[in-house]
Amino acid sequence: MKILVLNCGSSSIKYALYNMDDNSVMASGGAERVGLDGAFVKVKLPNGEKRQVMHDIPEHTEGVKFIFSLLTDPEIGAIKDLKEIDAVGHRMVHGGEKFNKSVVLDDEVLRVFEECSDLAPLHNPANLKGVKAVSELMPGLPQVGVFDTAFHQTMPKHSYLYAIPYDLYKEYGVRRYGFHGTSHRYVSQRVCEFLGVNAADKKIITCHIGNGGSIAAVDGGKCVDTSMGLTPLEGLMMGTRSGDIDGGAITFLQKKLNLDADGMSNLLNKKSGVAGVSGVSSDMREVDAAAQEGNELAKTALDMYNYRIKKYVGAYTAAMGGCDIIVFTAGVGENQSSMREEVCENMEWMGIKLDKEKNSAVHGEEAVISTPDSKVTVVVIPTDEELMIATDTMNLL
């Protein structure tokens, strides 16, 4: 069975074609600058070769159509005919309280999903465009939606409610939803397979640390808390997002800077975080290099970044009444050994003993990086959200 995974953003379309007989990736890549000048598609072939193909992509239907043409291209294609594709799985960002699991997409599901667009005005409409593009180009092909927010729908009320008038939750759905759910679900399951343990009796903290970052507390296989909130802005300090900040500081700055709501959102989402504090970049590699060269603000940004991860690990250990496993994943989590060391430093009180030598050697591979006598097992597990989407899609057919 061959499953195509699509992740449609506001100006991008990522894709991966899976052969589910062995979970292998037959082709992958992404269209960038959709709707803008200079659009192109990056293509990664099974042999590891990479190509970049320039192509005008005025909107998503044209983008999906061009990706389909690349998949069947005589020279760089992975299949001979589009009929070889059995289904398409879509990353759907915000399912609100409507979806707690992946579903086959039909008119009613899409109608309900569209009602959630107020909660993710940039992402949900783009997701819908991808679905409609496939429907137009390959009518009748089964499509499945896999929601970023679904895994977190097991949170109890005391975890997801904000301390604001309850009517605002009932009227507008203002609550913690959480994101990166497909990644948190994948690594919390995969780490148990990797360690040969049963998820049902394990307390796991999953740290998805990338340009965007979030942490989840997973007790017995179910999410009981997560750091992102109504939007992906809350929680950890991120590449350009502020993370947790006093609401009073927001209104104070709005008045001082004479910003409207959109201006304040732009400041907190795109000009803050590691980039805003360091003044260097949102790329942790560049910030780390600057810190090593003596840039004090870069050092401060790294200290803040690592401290907030450590703080959430401690908080979720308390919330679950213990912790058996900590998982690091995503771009920074999988590759930046210095961050992992800083987070685990002075955490012996909760049973963490890091093998510093092993940790420094692990980059983007599955590995235990704690010592054999550590009460908490610390593990690096590369995330694979696309495989999770493909697997959900296959299981629903």
Side-chain angles (χ1 to χ4, degrees):
M1 177 177 282
K2 296 180 178 67
I3 304 291
L4 178 66
V5 174
L6 286 180
N7 177 357
C8 292
S10 56
S11 61
S12 66
I13 306 170
K14 296 178 183 177
Y15 71 92
L17 180 65
Y18 282 86
N19 182 342
M20 299 308 293
D21 293 340
D22 57 5
N23 290 346
S24 61
V25 180
M26 301 175 66
S28 64
E32 298 187 25
R33 298 185 61 82
V34 175
L36 303 170
D37 292 336
F40 60 91
V41 179
K42 290 181 179 178
V43 181
K44 184 177 181 181
L45 306 180
N47 63 6
E49 182 184 351
K50 295 180 180 179
R51 300 276 187 91
Q52 183 168 306
V53 185
M54 303 301 294
H55 187 80
D56 185 36
I57 307 176
E59 42 74 44
H60 285 74
T61 301
E62 177 60 34
V64 173
K65 183 178 181 180
F66 187 60
I67 287 169
F68 280 171
S69 73
L70 291 175
L71 289 172
T72 56
D73 183 273
E75 181 187 355
I76 62 174
I79 54 177
K80 293 182 179 180
D81 194 303
L82 291 177
K83 292 180 181 178
E84 294 180 43
I85 300 174
D86 296 288
V88 176
H90 294 267
R91 180 201 179 202
M92 313 288 274
V93 170
H94 211 311
E97 293 183 318
K98 309 292 185 181
F99 302 101
N100 60 10
K101 59 183 178 181
S102 302
V103 295
V104 175
L105 298 175
D106 57 26
D107 289 343
E108 177 60 18
V109 169
L110 294 176
R111 183 191 67 77
V112 174
F113 178 70
E114 198 163 6
E115 291 176 354
C116 300
S117 289
D118 279 353
L119 297 171
L122 292 178
H123 295 91
N124 280 21
N127 300 157
L128 283 168
K129 288 177 183 177
V131 176
K132 291 175 180 177
V134 173
S135 297
E136 182 178 322
L137 296 166
M138 296 186 69
L141 184 69
Q143 300 187 69
V144 168
V146 180
F147 303 88
D148 261 16
T149 50
F151 182 62
H152 304 305
Q153 282 297 300
T154 52
M155 286 189 292
K157 265 192 173 182
H158 65 260
S159 292
Y160 70 70
L161 284 177
Y162 290 121
I164 57 175
Y166 190 72
D167 287 348
L168 297 177
Y169 160 62
K170 296 299 291 181
E171 181 71 18
Y172 302 111
V174 178
R175 52 157 284 182
R176 180 182 310 282
Y177 289 99
F179 298 87
H180 298 137
T182 307
S183 175
H184 288 294
R185 177 161 62 105
Y186 174 80
V187 297
S188 62
Q189 292 175 2
R190 176 58 196 155
V191 74
C192 292
E193 295 171 1
F194 179 66
L195 296 176
V197 298
N198 186 352
D201 58 2
K202 296 299 177 186
K203 300 177 187 294
I204 304 171
I205 296 174
T206 51
C207 305
H208 177 108
I209 313 297
N211 192 263
S214 64
I215 296 183
V218 183
D219 194 349
K222 294 183 178 181
C223 177
V224 295
D225 207 346
T226 192
S227 58
M228 284 181 168
L230 174 75
T231 75
L233 178 61
E234 189 180 3
L236 302 176
M237 179 180 179
M238 302 173 227
T240 62
R241 296 184 189 125
S242 67
D244 293 337
I245 183 172
D246 178 7
I250 295 173
T251 55
F252 175 83
L253 287 173
Q254 276 190 294
K255 293 175 183 177
K256 289 291 185 181
L257 301 176
N258 194 29
L259 293 173
D260 60 12
D262 288 341
M264 197 67 222
S265 176
N266 186 61
L267 174 68
L268 295 174
N269 279 287
K270 297 181 179 180
K271 296 182 178 181
S272 298
V274 173
V277 174
S278 71
V280 175
S281 172
S282 62
D283 189 313
M284 293 298 291
R285 292 164 295 190
E286 295 178 16
V287 177
D288 195 38
Q292 291 182 34
E293 292 171 2
N295 186 315
E296 289 299 323
L297 279 178
K299 290 179 182 178
T300 298
L302 290 175
D303 289 343
M304 293 171 64
Y305 187 86
N306 296 334
Y307 172 74
R308 290 194 179 193
I309 299 169
K310 182 195 292 278
K311 188 164 68 167
Y312 267 98
V313 168
Y316 286 167
T317 300
M320 292 192 292
C323 176
D324 300 302
I325 302 167
I326 295 172
V327 183
F328 288 102
T329 193
V332 179
E334 294 168 23
N335 294 290
Q336 192 168 19
S337 57
S338 58
M339 178 277 295
R340 299 190 300 250
E341 182 174 336
E342 287 292 322
V343 170
C344 295
E345 189 175 14
N346 298 323
M347 296 286 269
E348 290 83 5
W349 61 270
M350 65 168 277
I352 297 175
K353 290 185 180 180
L354 192 72
D355 184 328
K356 292 184 180 181
E357 186 175 341
K358 189 165 189 180
N359 173 57
S360 65
V362 173
H363 303 284
E365 60 193 279
E366 294 185 336
V368 175
I369 56 173
S370 51
T371 62
D373 62 338
S374 179
K375 292 181 180 178
V376 177
T377 306
V378 185
V379 191
V380 176
I381 297 287
T383 192
D384 198 336
E385 295 169 270
E386 288 79 14
L387 177 59
M388 189 92 262
I389 293 170
T391 301
D392 278 9
T393 302
M394 179 182 68
N395 291 338
L396 283 168
L397 296 183

